[in-house]
């Protein structure tokens, strides 16, 4: 399964901002307009949700790796 | 007892010490676990213990009055945090937060002092580790004072790059910004310009260093 942004449910106030900014439709609020769900395949890791969350409840961490050249394998 | 003597002897503070000292330390070591975002230490609170990361990564940071965060270091397995106040007395100089699920070992200030009194050879290791910490801080001051933001981002990427085995901490752009003393947008912009230079490639949630030599040059550490 692909990685996805991490929601800290203790911090999340269910304001729905992240879902409203997510252009890929990866974050969606449920019928009550509350909880945000992530549809992994759609998330392009634009990090906008992390940027807009007023409570620092969602984070999009990056892994930093050195590319392995084929001749190094 | 959760800490193994193998782990304890891999910690720079205790490296090269013989059996009896390691056993004495092992008797006092306790374990703590935390999830991503959990605060392990609060700046300004009384100092209780010296900590070592066993698994995962911990960020050590300070927050300014207006809420700006400066990360001093990311502590990885085997490394310690909360060193200075433990030895100098007083309160925690920085806060510490788990960057993912972490396991840390701690030793209470009073227990550590007792072991040092009994085994003075431990003091030499302490001096060595604290000197290295001072060097790291001097290097941070140098970066903040003299290095251009893109160069700082390049240097940070070099420092935190792993070989993709998942051992290294994963960092948000906010954390990268706090580490190099800049704004989040500047990190985004710098990553773009490093990508344009051909030094890195951003693939979804991975920053891939494609040209190590070029990145080193941009970081000014060629
Ligand atoms: S990173 Fe972008 S695409 Fe992914 S969930 Fe957040 S806003 Fe949506
Ligand atoms: S913006 Fe933050 S607080 Fe609001 S719903 Fe999203 S994660 Fe929760």
């Amino acid at each position: 399964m692909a990685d996805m942004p991490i929601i800290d449910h203790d911090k999340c106030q269910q304001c729905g901002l992240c879902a409203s900014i997510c252009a890929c439709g990866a974050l969606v609020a449920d019928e009550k307009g509350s909880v945000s769900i992530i549809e992994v395949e759609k998330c392009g890791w634009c990090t906008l949700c992390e940027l807009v969350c007023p409570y620092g409840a969602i984070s999009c961490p990056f892994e930093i790796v050195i590319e392995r050249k084929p001749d190094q394998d | 007892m959760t800490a193994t003597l193998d782990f304890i002897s891999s910690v720079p503070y205790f490296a090269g010490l013989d059996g009896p000292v390691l056993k004495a330390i092992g008797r006092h070591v306790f374990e703590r676990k935390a999830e991503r975002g959990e605060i392990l230490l609060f700046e300004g609170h009384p100092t209780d213990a010296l900590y070592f990361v066993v698994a995962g990564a911990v960020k050590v940071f300070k927050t300014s009055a207006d809420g700006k965060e400066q990360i001093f270091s990311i502590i990885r397995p085997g490394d310690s945090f909360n060193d200075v106040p433990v030895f100098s007395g007083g309160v925690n100089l920085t806060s510490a937060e788990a960057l993912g699920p972490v396991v840390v070992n701690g030793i209470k200030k009073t227990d550590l002092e007792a072991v040092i009194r009994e085994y003075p050879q431990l003091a030499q290791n302490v001096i060595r580790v604290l000197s290295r910490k001072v060097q790291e801080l001097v290097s941070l001051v140098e970066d903040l004072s003299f290095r251009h933001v893109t160069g700082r981002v390049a240097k940070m990427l070099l420092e935190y790059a792993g070989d993709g085995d998942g051992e290294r901490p994963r960092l948000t752009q906010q954390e990268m910004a706090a580490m190099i003393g800049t704004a989040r947008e500047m990190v985004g912009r710098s990553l773009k310009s490093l990508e344009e230079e051909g030094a890195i490639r951003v693939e979804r949630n991975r920053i891939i260093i494609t040209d190590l030599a070029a990145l080193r040059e941009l970081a000014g550490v060629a």
Side-chain angles (χ1 to χ4, degrees), chain A residues 2-6 8 11 40 43-45 47 50-51 59-67 69, chain B residues 36 157 160-162 164 166 170-174 176 184 201-202 204-210 212:
Chain A
D3 289 318
M4 49 192 199
I6 304 160
D8 182 334
K11 287 187 187 164
V40 180
C43 168
W45 219 263
T47 78
E50 174 187 275
L51 189 66
S59 52
C60 307
F62 288 85
E63 186 183 14
I64 304 164
V65 295
I66 299 171
E67 185 167 62
K69 300 276 187 296
Chain B
R36 182 178 174 89
L157 292 177
Y160 288 94
R170 300 197 305 152
L171 302 171
T172 65
Q173 290 194 21
Q174 186 56 50
M176 295 180 202
R184 188 188 190 281
R201 188 173 71 237
V202 182
R204 201 166 174 262
N205 60 341
R206 301 181 101 201
I207 297 170
I208 301 164
I209 298 174
T210 47
L212 202 53

Side-chain angles (χ1 to χ4, degrees), chain A residues 12-56:
Chain A
C12 173
Q13 303 295 310
Q14 302 176 337
C15 67
L17 258 182
C18 55
S20 68
I21 194 113
C22 177
C24 300
L27 280 174
V28 285
D30 70 8
E31 316 83 65
K32 294 178 219 106
S34 58
V35 194
S36 307
I37 314 158
I38 289 172
E39 287 182 42
V40 180
E41 320 79 56
K42 293 183 182 169
C43 168
W45 219 263
C46 66
T47 78
L48 278 176
C49 52
E50 174 187 275
L51 189 66
V52 298
C53 175
Y55 306 98

